[in-house]
Amino acid sequence: MDEHKKYPNKLGIIGWLGGGRWGIERYLYTLHRITGLGILLYFCLHIFVTSSRLFGMNAWEKWMGFFKSPIFKMGEFLVFVGFAFHALNGIRLILIEFGFAVGKAEEPVYPYKSSLNTQRPLMVIVMVVAAVLIVAGGYQFLGFVH
Amino acid sequence: MAKKTQKETDIIFYIHRFNPDVDSKPYTQKYTIRVEPGMTVLDGLHLIKETQDATLSYRFSCRMGVCGSCGMLLNGRPSLACNTQILDITMKNLTVAPLPNFNIVKDLVPELTPLFEKHISIHPYVIQNKTDEMLDPTGEFYQSPEELTKYLQFSYCIKCGLCMAACPTLATDSEYLGPQPMLQSYRYSIDTRDDGFDKRKKVVGNTHGVFRCHYAGECSNVCPKGVDPARAIQLMKRELVLDYLKIKKHRSTSFIMGKPEGVKRRPEIPKAPPFTVEQK
Amino acid sequence: MKETRYWTWHMLAGIVILFLLGIHMITMHLDAILGWFNPAGGEAVDWGNVVARAKMAIYAVIYIALLAAALYHGFYGFRTILFELGLKHGAQSIINILFVVMGICLFVLGSWVAIKFHVIAQIA
């Protein structure tokens, strides 16, 4: 059979995004990556910007004034949203990946219930908490914009 | 699936075709067939092959969801063609494509070789330290029902490759082991007759092993046998981490249960027939 | 087996970040609601508040611990995503070295600033 050429049918990065008849955990997986990358970028810049405190009050106030424009406030709010999601979803993932929230092996009986059903209440709880955090954070950020 | 009043409907099949001798890349071909309630996708493909296009290639064997040959991408979701009724998933259009993340051999036939190679790489068999006992058995390895339940669910895998097609990590990383082999590594490591955890942890604990799973959960969603690879992978991670932190509880291996003593053979049970080959 | 070690610490660093970044985020962003941590009043990033916090040694300790944990967690996570792209083994080792160097540089910079500023704030 090896003399025939075959067509490589990898989904590539599109496969990370999912789409179609996929479950909700797949979208959380994609979001977790995107927010993680965003936070890492912010974090590296954050280290440099906050280092400006060494150059005294004027340098610090200059930077902080620069970041008070509404665009940067929105950007900061996005980082906060990313953080809230990443943190809460991270709690869920830690519980799952250390094997606490996936339940025990059981005899499969149709219609099949999987570990996804076992962890779903946890998923709902952490997403609700994340939403509450985001709203609370939004209250603070809006206070600065206006 | 909610009960629907289903009646005969015309369904348009969009089937991905690829002939390695002629085509450079897959294309889609349209077929329309009359579908009766209860017809599976595999029945539909048979009907197309019989009445419209004899060149259509697909792989099937048992047509009852046991052999795991007819895995396909049905309307964007990996499913067994024999296990899915057409009118359950569509009332109009049905896209049938080969399983992604595998090479296409022809039309709807994926090349499952990587799956089996990875499956072999994790030593999918019981590894026993008691070699003397293995060569010259004196009894049976005892296992309690509780110990059986720990791995029984994971042993129902039919190796159809649906989980491998659904996995987002495998979509880019072809070195990644994938749900099915990692599931098998847990299934054998947790078996009380087995002593092979140290051997398997070298394979599943490497860079492209168990830690590249981030619980997208798709493997468990698509599994046609309710085997739940995602659960097994997380439990395998737990074993590996506990092993690394040196707090893994020592699991006792099965003891050997000898033949029962002081029992008489019941008279109605006939004796075994004489040996037909010479005994050493 | 190395991966087990890296990944376990990735998870443990995540738990550490959860607490420390929680403190940081509450300090910075939930202050309009809570009103703690900012003795000079006004916004959390005002110079007076920054100096007041830097006077407390606990904040320097928290920030250095957070820096180490977050750099490790972030760069390991980024490495995971890059490795899943199916890179060649040469590229993988380059990424490993690059990330270790970047992580150490950022850690040295950040902790140097935290300690130095703590000393400055003590005098001021």
Side-chain angles (χ1 to χ4, degrees):
Chain A
M1 217 162 67
D2 275 337
E3 65 269 22
H4 285 292
K5 64 182 170 141
K6 287 157 198 136
Y7 187 77
N9 193 22
K10 288 250 160 209
L11 286 175
I13 294 185
I14 308 287
W16 289 2
L17 301 175
R21 300 196 287 150
W22 299 123
I24 189 163
E25 278 75 15
R26 179 122 175 193
Y27 296 101
L28 295 184
Y29 154 95
T30 312
L31 263 179
H32 200 75
R33 311 210 124 174
I34 296 169
T35 53
L37 286 177
I39 292 166
L40 183 63
L41 177 70
Y42 174 83
F43 179 56
C44 290
L45 296 176
H46 190 66
I47 292 173
F48 286 109
V49 170
T50 50
S51 298
S52 72
R53 63 179 66 184
L54 275 189
F55 302 108
M57 181 174 167
N58 288 334
W60 176 261
E61 298 274 301
K62 205 184 96 198
W63 273 110
M64 288 305 122
F66 180 59
F67 289 126
K68 261 181 199 141
S69 69
I71 296 171
F72 277 107
K73 276 289 156 202
M74 265 324 284
E76 253 184 22
F77 180 58
L78 273 186
V79 174
F80 180 80
V81 170
F83 159 75
F85 172 80
H86 199 89
L88 269 300
N89 197 39
I91 295 175
R92 179 182 76 98
L93 283 179
I94 287 172
L95 286 176
I96 284 174
E97 301 197 15
F98 283 160
F100 293 111
V102 286
K104 282 183 183 150
E106 57 197 27
E107 184 82 1
V109 180
Y110 194 85
Y112 302 127
K113 292 250 188 291
S114 68
S115 59
L116 292 161
N117 300 79
T118 321
Q119 60 85 46
R120 189 126 316 142
L122 176 69
M123 195 271 287
V124 173
I125 291 168
V126 295
M127 285 303 117
V128 168
V129 175
V132 169
L133 266 184
I134 289 167
V135 169
Y139 173 74
Q140 167 106 11
F141 279 101
L142 281 177
F144 286 124
V145 172
H146 296 298
Chain B
M1 195 61 54
K3 277 267 177 210
K4 280 182 268 182
T5 45
Q6 294 172 336
K7 53 175 191 274
E8 279 192 29
T9 325
D10 281 329
I11 302 280
I12 308 166
F13 276 59
Y14 294 92
I15 299 181
H16 282 230
R17 303 292 309 271
F18 172 72
N19 184 351
D21 295 333
V22 187
D23 308 319
S24 59
K25 63 178 197 181
Y27 61 97
T28 313
Q29 201 165 340
K30 207 167 126 180
Y31 302 94
T32 310
I33 55 166
R34 191 97 183 134
V35 171
E36 292 166 21
M39 254 174 93
T40 63
V41 178
L42 190 63
D43 294 334
L45 292 174
H46 284 328
L47 192 61
I48 292 170
K49 196 173 169 79
E50 277 167 20
T51 58
Q52 298 187 28
D53 189 348
T55 62
L56 182 65
S57 302
Y58 48 94
R59 191 189 277 143
F60 76 100
S61 179
C62 73
R63 76 206 190 291
M64 47 201 265
V66 172
C67 72
S69 299
C70 60
M72 286 166 202
L73 198 67
L74 304 178
N75 275 0
R77 187 185 168 92
S79 330
L80 290 184
C82 60
N83 221 0
T84 314
Q85 296 196 8
I86 300 171
L87 296 179
D88 271 356
I89 58 170
T90 183
M91 293 310 280
K92 211 166 138 202
N93 300 327
L94 180 65
T95 311
V96 186
L99 287 182
N101 303 343
F102 293 107
N103 294 340
I104 305 174
V105 178
K106 199 187 172 190
D107 289 351
L108 300 173
V109 183
E111 186 197 20
L112 295 176
T113 323
L115 164 67
F116 298 120
E117 277 168 1
K118 286 169 187 169
H119 178 65
I120 291 164
S121 77
I122 57 100
H123 314 291
Y125 37 81
V126 170
I127 298 169
Q128 252 296 343
N129 287 344
K130 301 189 192 91
T131 28
D132 294 347
E133 177 63 24
M134 295 297 279
L135 293 172
D136 186 19
T138 55
E140 295 170 1
F141 289 111
Y142 174 79
Q143 200 163 49
S144 70
E146 291 76 33
E147 290 164 347
L148 175 73
T149 323
K150 278 188 181 170
Y151 71 84
L152 186 63
Q153 176 179 26
F154 307 128
S155 63
Y156 286 125
C157 173
I158 57 172
K159 294 153 197 81
C160 55
L162 296 191
C163 50
M164 307 286 271
C167 178
T169 306
L170 263 174
T172 48
D173 188 358
S174 42
E175 278 179 71
Y176 177 56
L177 281 173
Q180 194 275 339
M182 296 192 305
L183 164 111
Q184 295 300 321
S185 75
Y186 182 72
R187 177 253 175 272
Y188 284 101
S189 298
I190 204 71
D191 193 325
T192 46
R193 297 164 295 179
D194 180 89
D195 299 310
F197 179 71
D198 290 334
K199 215 170 164 183
R200 286 190 198 97
K201 77 180 178 187
K202 291 191 186 103
V203 188
V204 293
N206 75 8
T207 315
H208 293 279
V210 84
F211 301 117
R212 296 290 84 84
C213 163
H214 311 290
Y215 205 72
E218 223 45 72
C219 46
S220 296
N221 272 341
V222 299
C223 182
K225 297 310 242 182
V227 171
D228 208 346
R231 174 182 284 157
I233 295 169
Q234 312 319 314
L235 294 173
M236 189 69 198
K237 280 181 196 167
R238 183 200 178 97
E239 296 289 313
L240 285 169
V241 169
L242 292 183
D243 181 66
Y244 164 62
L245 297 174
K246 304 225 176 341
I247 46 176
K248 185 168 182 269
K249 272 190 216 136
H250 182 69
R251 170 172 64 72
S252 53
T253 30
S254 306
F255 61 87
I256 296 155
M257 213 159 65
K259 286 175 190 158
E261 283 166 18
V263 212
K264 270 195 181 160
R265 192 187 188 85
R266 276 157 61 188
E268 69 268 25
I269 297 173
K271 271 197 176 154
F275 290 108
T276 50
V277 285
E278 204 179 314
Q279 295 295 300
K280 274 188 266 182
Chain C
M1 276 313 288
K2 273 182 191 161
E3 204 63 27
T4 310
R5 188 192 315 156
Y6 299 156
W7 186 83
T8 309
W9 287 105
H10 177 65
M11 287 285 132
L12 297 179
I15 298 170
V16 170
I17 293 168
L18 206 60
F19 287 104
L20 297 186
L21 196 60
I23 294 172
H24 180 65
M25 280 297 191
I26 290 168
T27 309
M28 291 295 156
H29 294 307
L30 292 183
D31 203 60
I33 296 166
L34 294 172
W36 305 336
F37 306 112
N38 290 320
E43 286 184 29
V45 292
D46 284 348
W47 181 251
N49 284 327
V50 173
V51 174
R53 280 200 300 270
K55 270 188 186 149
M56 292 182 258
I58 185 75
Y59 263 95
V61 173
I62 285 178
Y63 279 152
I64 291 172
L66 176 60
L67 184 69
L71 281 172
Y72 180 76
H73 188 86
F75 278 117
Y76 182 85
F78 193 18
R79 173 183 172 272
T80 300
I81 296 177
L82 288 177
F83 274 29
E84 284 177 16
L85 291 171
L87 300 173
K88 293 198 175 65
H89 286 271
Q92 292 186 0
S93 5
I94 291 171
I95 287 171
N96 279 340
I97 296 165
L98 189 72
F99 279 11
V100 169
V101 171
M102 275 168 74
I104 289 175
C105 287
L106 285 169
F107 177 70
V108 169
L109 170 72
S111 45
W112 178 68
V113 169
I115 293 168
K116 185 110 195 251
F117 196 69
H118 175 59
V119 175
I120 293 174
Q122 292 283 325
I123 302 161

